[in-house]
Amino acid sequence: VIGKELKSQILKKENRLPDSLVACIGGGSNSLGLFYNFLDDEKVSLYGVEAGGKGIKTGKHAASLSAGKPGVLHGNKTYLIQDSAGQIKEAHSISAGLDYPGIGPEHSWLKDTGRVKYVAVNDKQALKALKLCCKLEGIIPALEPAHALYFVLKYASKMKKNHILVMNMCGRGDKDLETIMDFSK
């Protein structure tokens, strides 16, 4: 359930809009599908969770909005991970779906306007959330939304009990099992 249908279902069930929406971001399609119908609802907080890789300070990450700067790649002016000469640097994420040195131009605009808040979650944190989800829910999430799930675990613990938070749990984790096993050695 996404977009207008999600908004309609929440309004019907809760008689109000959600307080927060959270999604992982790489290229942008999964998160924009969730955010789009809520962009004009300024009371709804929107959070995009980037791949922090081995940590922002290590330079081995895929967090172009948190640690990149504007540039042009593949014909798009967007935030990119680049060196001082504007050359694209290699990105790093445990998640293949988030391992890209840039972001869709829509996210660049949403960052510049301040409509969406962007945060980074590192590989170890994403794996921690993935393992907890497996243990408590019996669901193996993909590594991409595991980044968002880690943020949700930290963020939700600070919210009031009636706070409505929606997270986009996209993707199946069975595709990531080999990567997870290799990282856990």
Side-chain angles (χ1 to χ4, degrees), residues 30-149:
N30 118 46
S31 53
L32 290 172
L34 178 63
F35 296 163
Y36 179 75
N37 286 291
F38 296 91
L39 289 175
D40 292 332
D41 300 308
E42 302 259 339
K43 290 185 180 181
V44 179
S45 297
L46 307 176
Y47 294 92
V49 184
E50 296 188 280
K54 294 184 179 186
I56 300 296
K57 291 181 180 178
T58 69
K60 296 181 180 183
H61 59 81
S64 58
L65 291 167
S66 298
K69 57 186 179 183
V72 177
L73 178 65
H74 301 140
N76 292 310
K77 183 175 182 187
T78 187
Y79 281 83
L80 300 167
I81 300 168
Q82 54 189 311
D83 65 19
S84 60
Q87 296 300 305
I88 304 305
K89 292 171 63 177
E90 189 172 338
H92 168 79
S93 173
I94 191 171
S95 166
L98 302 180
D99 192 5
Y100 186 72
I103 192 68
E106 297 90 346
H107 280 294
S108 292
W109 175 73
L110 290 168
K111 173 188 169 70
D112 289 345
T113 63
R115 180 61 186 104
V116 178
K117 295 174 187 100
Y118 294 95
V119 298
V121 166
N122 70 39
D123 293 344
K124 288 181 183 179
Q125 293 167 326
L127 276 172
K128 183 176 181 178
L130 181 143
K131 290 175 182 177
L132 185 62
C133 187
C134 290
K135 179 180 176 181
L136 298 178
E137 299 295 333
I139 297 169
I140 306 170
L143 284 166
E144 293 85 356
H147 287 74
L149 185 56

Side-chain angles (χ1 to χ4, degrees), residues 19-20 47 119 150-165:
D19 298 294
S20 304
Y47 294 92
V119 298
Y150 183 84
F151 171 77
V152 165
L153 292 169
K154 297 300 178 190
Y155 177 71
S157 68
K158 299 172 186 168
M159 297 299 108
K160 293 180 181 176
K161 196 171 188 168
N162 67 342
H163 187 95
I164 299 173
L165 186 149

